[in-house]
Amino acid sequence: MERKRSFRRRKQRKPFSEKCKDYLRKFAAFMFSNVGIIGLVVGYTIAGAFIFTSIEGHTEQEVKINILTSRNQTINRLWEVTYNLNVLYKETWRNAVEIELFKYQKDIIEAARNGYDGSDDVDEFKQWRFAGGFLYSLTVITTIGYGNILPRTPWGKVATIIYAIIGMPLFLLYLSNIGDIMAGSFKWIYAKCCLCRCCPGVARRRAERRRRRALQLSIEYINSRVDSRNNSDLSQASVHNIHMEEYRLNSLGGSSSDDEEEEDSDGVTETDVSYDSQAVTVPLTICLAIMVGYVCGGAILFSRYEDWNLLDGSYFCFISLSTIGFGDIVPGDKIYSGKGYELSFIFCSMYLMLGMALIAMCFNLMQEEVIHKIRTTMRTVRYILRCNR
Amino acid sequence: MSRYLDPEGLEPSKPSACSRFLRYTWKTITCIFSHIFLVSLVVSYCIFGAKTFETLEKDHEMEVKKNISSIRGRIIDKLWFNLTSEPYLREENFTFLIVKHLKEFEGELLKAMNKDGWDGEEDINKVQWTFAGALFYSIIVITTIGYGHIAPKTTLGKVVTIFYAILGIPLMLLCLSNIGDVMATSFRFLYWRVCCYICTKKPKKPRRVRQRGGTIRREGGRGSYRSKTQSLRRSVRTSTRSADSGFDYGDVNPLSHSDTEIRVHEELPPMKVRGASLPRMKPGQNSRFREMSTVNQRPNQYGAGRVQQRGGSLDRRRAPKVWDPSLDLNTFPDAPVLCNKYALEGPEIESNHIQRGGIRRSFERSRGRRAVSMPRTHNYLELPVPVSPARSTEDLRPRQSESLKRPSPSRHHASPRIMSPLGYGSKSLYIEEESDTEYFDDGMSFESSRTTRIRPVPIWLCVFLVVSYIFAGAFLFTAWENWDYLDSAYFCFITLTTIGFGDFVPAKRVTENAEMSIALCSLYLLFGISLLAMSFNLVQEEVIANVKSVAKTLGIIKSDDIDDDDD
């Protein structure tokens, strides 16, 4: 969108520099091409990371300072309590301390809601460092929205809204683009690897095809005979016959895969085994297997990285990839250890971007397959109906 | 399934007014039924989920809540122990000791909040996983908002959530797009029938809009490339829809071949043809212009006019002002309408083309019978042409025999035309639809004539609608939840875009009437999302066309990539 605007601006200067226009055009074309879109999304996310860290960087500090002061106050009060009770009876002391602790607990809850993560060091920013900002931007434009890192300032909120308005279409564009490419290449791989000659089912299919062709020829013969015989009236019986035969053919061919067949089936015998890689529909099971495999793989990786168990890992992967994004389990959760924090952020971002494209691809493929299935079924049913009439 | 097939089975045998009426009522009923059915399915799914999650998670939450007080008790015990073990109480010592313990306490509380989902409330009567809370949770899951203020903490709860989401998200999408469709249709109707009767003093406006759509379309997509993306888009949209749309697709096929017949027959005496083949035409038309179930609902008397118009619009490039439907009706009844791009080249080719069309058509007849097991790229050919009573078969005989003499040239002529735009191929699925469209025109006319019929609602109106919805929501939430205005607007935006951070959640702090505010929020949310779906639906085509034209001027060949930009 902004590209459009910039182009318009540039357009007025265009006459005196054709070159500029050409470069711009090429640049735009590249940016929206397959490679460029990845760069665009990543760049946008990085920009978002910088924006948000600069806007939000100091709120975290405030929360920490608040907690520190609250803790000190609590200690003071506790000391007073202990001091004022001249004789330490356990019950009275307990009650007094309980009240104080309860107050303190409320403070902690408030702070935790405001993004307090438990670390004391005031000068250390954990959430709104670059990695955190990057993950935040990514969760905004993917609409995952974990909510573990949040904008607290009004400007942060406004910036989030604007950032999301621009970013989400961009990411959708990325998804559809990459999903298309991946779907195409996956199909190609599938067609080349799984449907090739070495497959055991191919011989059977080829035989079937040959038989079908023979039947076709006979039907053609019948057709021409029917046409020549009765010019005036098509006897209902013969039509019926033909339809019956058609249906038999169809059911015969429909069960086996009629999709990888070339359309020029008569005369062109060598197209027999070469499949149009784009006309292949990938079975649902493979798509599902890919998605499940990706989630499980992610689960294994994360469980190694983050000390989650396998269920938590796969739960996290699923919740993230379906863009639900509860945020109850978030990467970089090893807050207290401190090390491996940034790395896991980056790793998680990559996992998400790849995973969502993969999901898009799988949906792309599954959709084709489902529509194709439904159509085939409908066709079959139609033939049945036509026969019965 | 049979319910979808019945009308079709009835229809060709007796295309009387009665049966047509029956079919329309049937379609209306199925339409309404499917909508109500879907909505009730979603509602019951949510309620089912609420029950399940309530039973799964409530006990765990209770336990966590009880645990908190025991945590505090432990801390106090430790403090007491340390206190009594010290012989003297000095402030520094005491502070040092207590800081350690308080930090421990802090850590445990944070763990309880983050890991175990404690909401900070110790009262056992105020659990989050009440029925209302669980219902809200199910809605949050299947709309993929995912606030995360309540999340399952038990193992079983997590597993169930995963499966619940797998089933629920597509269901919800289906329902939302369905509702969005209905809303879009009614909104469009409202806009053009109500608003534009009021502003009849400038009748230019619809006209202008329409023509703009036409021109955009024309420059926006060249030929079948456009039609590819269109059909793609259409089917993409449909796929999120129900199986019943899939069945509708099925409906297209038996009927769509009649388009080609019409083409041929318009060269024959026009009156008879129209009478004969139009009724059968309409269903195909309906399902082709998928978005509107409206056409199903209003019995279109303009059936004839529309078909003519559609046919007429093919010649659009020659005569662009053909757009007016009434004009079409009057101008085109006896003009030979050739739905082919060759028709553009001039009248002398036309005559040639008539012949060709006839040949192709009759070739189809012959082809139709044996093509059944043929590759499905020829699907439009596969359908045996039902012999309609009105058709004078003797007209066709000579041509057929003629065409049978040379089937292969015409086939070779036909096949590259169908295959060539399909180089992209990865959408093999849409080949059928494509070739349907492709066959009587290069598909563009369809899209353009659709724009004429489905007049677009201006983009700014939709944007304005959504923005005002967000602001209204912000206002309401300010009143309900005592947030300030920016926070409320932020909440509405984050919710409607399904980002769902969960920092602001209704009824998180105000606990008196939690159920009420949860219910209000869910209503706001569901309606808002379907409103978004509606406005996408309304704006989509036009925005895509706009962006595409911009991309064209930019010289980006891959304008295909651009069009999702505003999806």
Side-chain angles (χ1 to χ4, degrees):
Chain A
M1 269 308 169
E2 72 263 66
R3 208 148 304 283
K4 170 169 51 170
R5 230 176 293 130
S6 75
F7 175 69
R8 287 230 174 102
R9 227 187 303 124
R10 213 62 69 86
K11 202 175 180 178
Q12 286 147 10
R13 295 196 271 142
K14 183 191 71 179
F16 67 84
S17 66
E18 277 295 317
K19 246 184 195 175
C20 169
K21 182 185 142 195
D22 269 357
Y23 281 138
L24 202 71
R25 185 174 288 178
K26 267 177 197 161
F27 178 69
F30 174 75
M31 276 326 244
F32 285 98
S33 73
N34 309 323
V35 186
I37 192 71
I38 298 175
L40 207 62
V41 167
V42 171
Y44 190 72
T45 320
I46 288 172
F50 280 119
I51 292 169
F52 288 117
T53 37
S54 67
I55 292 177
E56 288 288 329
H58 295 284
T59 50
E60 201 186 352
Q61 208 172 357
E62 278 169 28
V63 169
K64 277 177 184 168
I65 289 170
N66 277 345
I67 265 291
L68 272 184
T69 54
S70 154
R71 191 187 295 153
N72 286 335
Q73 280 168 4
T74 313
I75 289 168
N76 283 336
R77 280 200 302 263
L78 281 181
W79 171 248
E80 277 167 25
V81 163
T82 329
Y83 190 74
N84 289 340
L85 292 174
N86 263 333
V87 186
L88 285 179
Y89 291 115
K90 193 176 179 181
E91 284 313 306
T92 39
W93 189 82
R94 271 194 79 105
N95 286 342
V97 168
E98 172 105 32
I99 292 165
E100 291 305 323
L101 278 188
F102 194 73
K103 276 181 198 158
Y104 182 50
Q105 181 185 318
K106 270 190 179 164
D107 283 346
I108 294 173
I109 289 164
E110 190 64 35
R113 279 185 183 148
N114 283 328
Y116 175 58
D117 60 352
S119 72
D120 263 345
D121 198 348
V122 175
D123 295 327
E124 188 197 21
F125 309 124
K126 274 207 169 140
Q127 293 185 332
W128 287 108
R129 272 186 306 184
F130 175 72
F134 188 81
L135 194 66
Y136 173 76
S137 315
L138 196 69
T139 57
V140 168
I141 63 172
T142 52
T143 76
I144 293 175
Y146 287 130
N148 60 331
I149 307 173
L150 287 169
R152 304 284 171 194
T153 57
W155 280 113
K157 284 167 190 174
V158 172
T160 303
I161 291 176
I162 295 168
Y163 188 77
I165 287 173
I166 300 170
M168 287 190 306
L170 197 71
F171 193 76
L172 278 181
L173 174 61
Y174 158 83
L175 274 191
S176 72
N177 211 329
I178 301 297
D180 267 6
I181 293 166
M182 283 171 79
S185 47
F186 181 74
K187 252 186 203 167
W188 187 81
I189 291 169
Y190 176 76
K192 287 287 177 269
C193 294
C194 306
L195 294 179
C196 60
R197 262 168 218 266
C198 54
C199 222
V202 169
R204 182 174 47 83
R205 238 174 280 146
R206 213 177 299 149
E208 225 163 37
R209 217 171 294 135
R210 211 169 295 135
R211 201 172 38 187
R212 232 181 298 153
R213 191 163 308 131
L215 267 172
Q216 267 166 25
L217 283 180
S218 71
I219 282 196
E220 217 165 334
Y221 175 61
I222 290 173
N223 258 354
S224 58
R225 267 209 7 220
V226 164
D227 288 334
S228 61
R229 191 183 56 198
N230 40 8
N231 274 342
S232 52
D233 62 328
L234 276 168
S235 80
Q236 207 60 30
S238 70
V239 170
H240 184 76
N241 262 343
I242 288 162
H243 284 324
M244 281 299 278
E245 209 136 10
E246 270 168 10
Y247 174 61
R248 218 181 307 135
L249 266 176
N250 188 51
S251 62
L252 193 143
S255 60
S256 82
S257 46
D258 53 291
D259 42 355
E260 68 263 27
E261 213 169 355
E262 293 289 337
E263 68 156 333
D264 287 5
S265 61
D266 58 340
V268 201
T269 35
E270 68 271 18
T271 57
D272 218 357
V273 278
S274 81
Y275 303 103
D276 182 7
S277 66
Q278 303 303 348
V280 173
T281 57
V282 180
L284 276 182
T285 47
I286 290 182
C287 294
L288 286 178
I290 287 173
M291 288 201 281
V292 171
Y294 192 73
V295 168
C296 289
I300 291 167
L301 282 176
F302 276 112
S303 62
R304 184 168 297 172
Y305 238 94
E306 298 275 340
D307 295 335
W308 299 335
N309 61 21
L310 215 59
L311 175 77
D312 275 353
S314 43
Y315 173 73
F316 166 77
C317 293
F318 178 80
I319 291 295
S320 300
L321 291 182
S322 60
T323 74
I324 293 177
F326 284 133
D328 50 346
I329 304 175
V330 189
D333 231 7
K334 293 188 292 185
I335 301 163
Y336 300 104
S337 75
K339 103 180 199 292
Y341 191 58
E342 306 234 341
L343 201 61
S344 85
F345 262 133
I346 302 293
F347 174 65
C348 177
S349 314
M350 280 175 60
Y351 180 81
L352 285 181
M353 283 182 71
L354 190 68
M356 293 186 75
L358 198 80
I359 297 277
M361 174 199 98
C362 284
F363 271 115
N364 212 333
L365 293 175
M366 278 163 71
Q367 179 185 314
E368 283 182 11
E369 171 74 7
V370 165
I371 292 176
H372 179 222
K373 279 266 162 60
I374 287 171
R375 280 196 188 164
T376 322
T377 325
M378 284 308 295
R379 218 174 299 141
T380 319
V381 170
R382 257 197 338 266
Y383 281 119
I384 294 172
L385 276 187
R386 207 156 279 155
C387 281
N388 290 344
R389 204 172 67 215
Chain B
M1 191 179 279
S2 61
R3 109 185 122 100
Y4 287 94
L5 291 175
D6 271 352
E8 187 204 333
L10 284 177
E11 191 269 329
S13 52
K14 41 169 186 176
S16 63
C18 172
S19 80
R20 223 183 309 159
F21 172 74
L22 260 178
R23 208 185 62 231
Y24 281 127
T25 46
W26 182 252
K27 287 227 162 177
T28 321
I29 287 169
T30 49
C31 187
I32 290 170
F33 177 70
S34 70
H35 289 160
I36 289 175
F37 179 72
L38 254 181
V39 170
S40 59
L41 197 67
V42 167
V43 168
S44 54
Y45 191 71
C46 283
I47 289 171
F48 163 74
K51 283 280 177 207
T52 317
F53 288 118
E54 190 188 352
T55 49
L56 282 178
E57 292 288 332
K58 199 170 184 177
D59 295 338
H60 182 257
E61 201 198 346
M62 296 276 212
E63 252 170 54
V64 169
K65 284 197 169 175
K66 279 175 203 155
N67 209 18
I68 295 293
S69 55
S70 77
I71 287 175
R72 220 167 40 228
R74 252 193 340 264
I75 291 289
I76 293 173
D77 279 344
K78 277 182 189 166
L79 280 178
W80 176 251
F81 177 73
N82 279 325
L83 209 65
T84 47
S85 63
E86 295 263 323
Y88 307 109
L89 277 181
R90 258 179 294 155
E91 187 160 4
E92 302 86 58
N93 266 353
F94 181 77
T95 314
F96 180 73
L97 262 176
I98 278 189
V99 163
K100 208 181 84 191
H101 285 295
L102 282 188
K103 269 186 144 181
E104 196 186 320
F105 181 55
E106 223 171 75
E108 286 199 39
L109 281 187
L110 282 178
K111 184 171 164 288
M113 285 187 81
N114 293 333
K115 290 272 177 348
D116 299 331
W118 181 50
D119 61 338
E121 197 72 49
E122 267 190 85
D123 192 352
I124 290 190
N125 294 322
K126 284 180 187 167
V127 275
Q128 283 181 305
W129 289 99
T130 54
F131 180 73
L135 191 67
F136 193 52
Y137 171 76
S138 342
I139 292 173
I140 291 302
V141 168
I142 62 175
T143 48
T144 76
I145 293 177
Y147 286 131
H149 65 296
I150 39 175
K153 295 300 172 188
T154 59
T155 311
L156 199 60
K158 283 174 186 174
V159 174
V160 169
T161 300
I162 290 177
F163 286 104
Y164 188 76
I166 287 175
L167 217 72
I169 291 172
L171 195 72
M172 193 68 194
L173 275 181
L174 208 69
C175 182
L176 281 181
S177 68
N178 221 324
I179 293 174
D181 267 5
V182 173
M183 278 170 68
T185 317
S186 42
F187 182 73
R188 201 179 276 131
F189 177 79
L190 214 71
Y191 179 73
W192 286 106
R193 289 293 149 83
V194 179
C195 302
C196 288
Y197 271 156
I198 296 168
C199 53
T200 33
K201 44 187 171 270
K202 35 174 188 172
K204 282 275 175 192
K205 197 191 173 191
R207 194 76 181 251
R208 187 173 50 85
V209 170
R210 210 189 311 156
Q211 276 197 347
R212 186 165 45 124
T215 50
I216 284 167
R217 231 132 269 267
R218 225 170 301 152
E219 70 191 22
R222 279 274 83 111
S224 45
Y225 190 69
R226 163 125 201 111
S227 81
K228 165 227 166 182
T229 47
Q230 280 291 348
S231 63
L232 231 185
R233 179 153 306 282
R234 223 179 305 143
S235 32
V236 164
R237 216 179 308 127
T238 332
S239 71
T240 50
R241 250 172 247 158
S242 62
D244 88 308
S245 70
F247 292 137
D248 267 351
Y249 261 88
D251 271 344
V252 182
N253 277 336
L255 300 163
S256 54
H257 67 284
S258 64
D259 293 336
T260 41
E261 280 166 40
I262 281 175
R263 171 163 52 100
V264 177
H265 277 275
E266 267 161 12
E267 296 147 15
L268 305 177
M271 292 319 289
K272 178 171 66 176
V273 171
R274 217 186 303 152
S277 45
L278 276 181
R280 285 193 294 117
M281 182 84 179
K282 264 176 269 164
Q285 195 181 346
N286 283 351
S287 37
R288 174 150 308 119
F289 303 128
R290 271 253 18 116
E291 314 159 6
M292 10 96 177
S293 39
T294 40
V295 191
N296 300 350
Q297 282 153 354
R298 343 171 199 144
N300 46 0
Q301 297 92 338
Y302 333 119
R306 279 186 187 168
V307 172
Q308 283 297 355
Q309 180 193 352
R310 191 209 287 172
S313 65
L314 306 174
D315 310 22
R316 168 171 49 78
R317 272 167 282 193
R318 261 189 309 177
K321 65 171 181 131
V322 157
W323 290 104
D324 202 344
S326 62
L327 223 167
D328 278 349
L329 246 179
N330 302 331
T331 322
F332 280 90
D334 44 8
V337 181
L338 297 177
C339 315
N340 197 298
K341 48 188 166 194
Y342 296 105
L344 307 175
E345 290 161 16
E348 71 278 1
I349 305 177
E350 230 169 75
S351 60
N352 176 19
H353 177 70
I354 289 173
Q355 200 187 4
R356 202 188 291 158
I359 287 163
R360 192 177 302 140
R361 191 232 154 281
S362 49
F363 177 63
E364 254 172 74
R365 272 179 62 83
S366 62
R367 188 84 184 133
R369 300 211 176 102
R370 58 193 167 100
V372 187
S373 62
M374 293 296 285
R376 77 198 154 81
T377 30
H378 264 286
N379 270 332
Y380 60 96
L381 290 179
E382 285 183 22
L383 309 153
V385 180
V387 187
S388 85
R391 181 176 308 148
S392 46
T393 38
E394 53 272 17
D395 278 349
L396 302 168
R397 284 303 139 215
R399 273 188 203 156
Q400 188 171 11
S401 53
E402 176 198 349
S403 74
L404 275 175
K405 283 174 206 158
R406 40 163 211 170
S408 42
S410 90
R411 252 192 78 226
H412 278 304
H413 165 74
S415 54
R417 264 191 66 211
I418 293 152
M419 284 311 284
S420 61
L422 299 173
Y424 36 78
S426 66
K427 281 79 203 180
S428 61
L429 250 251
Y430 313 114
I431 286 174
E432 305 181 16
E433 196 184 353
E434 178 81 17
S435 47
D436 278 349
T437 327
E438 169 76 9
Y439 212 62
F440 44 74
D441 184 26
D442 41 12
M444 274 178 67
S445 64
F446 244 23
E447 306 310 329
S448 2
S449 63
R450 174 166 59 172
T451 1
T452 18
R453 207 165 310 127
I454 299 234
R455 291 170 295 186
V457 175
I459 294 175
W460 61 264
L461 193 68
C462 291
V463 173
F464 173 74
L465 211 67
V466 170
V467 169
S468 60
Y469 188 74
I470 284 180
F471 280 120
F475 192 70
L476 286 178
F477 279 106
T478 318
W480 290 338
E481 299 280 337
N482 300 323
W483 298 332
D484 63 38
Y485 197 77
L486 175 74
D487 281 352
S488 306
Y490 171 73
F491 165 76
C492 292
F493 180 81
I494 292 296
T495 300
L496 288 185
T497 50
T498 74
I499 293 177
F501 283 134
D503 48 349
F504 295 96
V505 172
K508 199 171 180 181
R509 317 220 174 159
V510 186
T511 37
E512 302 87 77
N513 48 2
E515 257 131 71
M516 186 62 188
S517 72
I518 282 178
L520 284 174
C521 177
S522 339
L523 277 184
Y524 177 80
L525 198 154
L526 291 178
F527 188 73
I529 292 178
S530 45
L531 190 81
L532 272 184
M534 179 201 90
S535 41
F536 274 145
N537 197 333
L538 287 175
V539 163
Q540 205 177 30
E541 303 283 325
E542 202 176 338
V543 168
I544 288 166
N546 274 340
V547 173
K548 223 171 221 178
S549 72
V550 168
K552 284 285 169 188
T553 40
L554 269 171
I556 302 171
I557 312 298
K558 281 187 166 276
S559 49
D560 189 19
D561 306 342
I562 307 292
D563 62 6
D564 285 318
D565 205 332
D566 303 78
D567 225 15

